[in-house]
Amino acid sequence: MGTIADLLVATRGHKIYLDTNIFVYFLDKNTQFFDAAAALMHSLASRHAHAYTGQIAVAETMVGPYRSGNPRLIASALAFFAQKHVLTVVRHGDGAYQHAAQCRAQTGVKLIDALHIATALQAQCRYLITNDKAMRTSGQLQILQLSDYC
């Protein structure tokens, strides 16, 4: 559909929510999606937009580093998520869980995906960037598939 540059232009100045897979591609240096994820992270570090994610995305992403048992990898990933100028990690409030349940009931998406959507809406994000084809645009939140820009 476009290039990573098109994605960066579309999201400039907006609040964006990043799904777990974006962090995994970046931190694991995924061969297929690392370049796009790295360009996105670089643009966020340059403050072209502000990114949000939920605590659940941090937990999902940290499975790999913890599984590796490598203290440096664990510390590096935790330090990445602590970069407040690049990323805000949103706490999942009671409202997010209720909204996630409603979203799952209405759309049939997995509860974890519904929680990502609810948290993005809680943070008032305009875009959610993912590579999960089960997530679809609804209402004021536009779902962007990273693979459409690679």
Side-chain angles (χ1 to χ4, degrees), residues 111-122:
L111 185 59
I112 192 78
D113 293 339
L115 185 56
H116 286 299
I117 291 167
T119 306
L121 290 169
Q122 174 186 329

Side-chain angles (χ1 to χ4, degrees), residues 4-25:
I4 193 66
D6 296 331
L7 176 66
L8 299 179
V9 167
T11 59
R12 181 173 302 280
H14 295 286
K15 291 182 175 183
I16 60 174
Y17 183 96
L18 301 178
D19 191 6
T20 305
N21 48 36
I22 306 304
F23 301 118
V24 171
Y25 298 152

Side-chain angles (χ1 to χ4, degrees), residues 53-144:
T53 200
Q55 292 170 309
I56 195 68
V58 176
E60 286 181 302
T61 303
M62 291 304 299
V63 170
Y66 284 127
R67 188 176 287 146
S68 77
N70 180 333
R72 286 185 194 203
L73 182 59
I74 293 166
S76 176
L78 289 172
F80 170 79
F81 284 110
Q83 298 179 80
K84 304 270 188 257
H85 68 284
V86 175
L87 180 69
T88 297
V89 178
V90 178
R91 296 181 58 104
H92 304 293
D94 291 342
Y97 289 107
Q98 292 304 313
H99 189 233
Q102 290 172 345
C103 181
R104 175 159 170 65
Q106 292 169 355
T107 66
V109 297
K110 291 187 263 178
L111 185 59
I112 192 78
D113 293 339
L115 185 56
H116 286 299
I117 291 167
T119 306
L121 290 169
Q122 174 186 329
Q124 299 178 332
C125 292
R126 180 169 180 185
Y127 299 103
L128 186 155
I129 302 175
T130 186
N131 238 3
D132 187 337
K133 300 294 185 199
M135 295 174 115
R136 305 252 189 258
T137 295
S138 64
Q140 67 266 42
L141 182 65
Q142 186 174 350
I143 308 295
L144 301 176

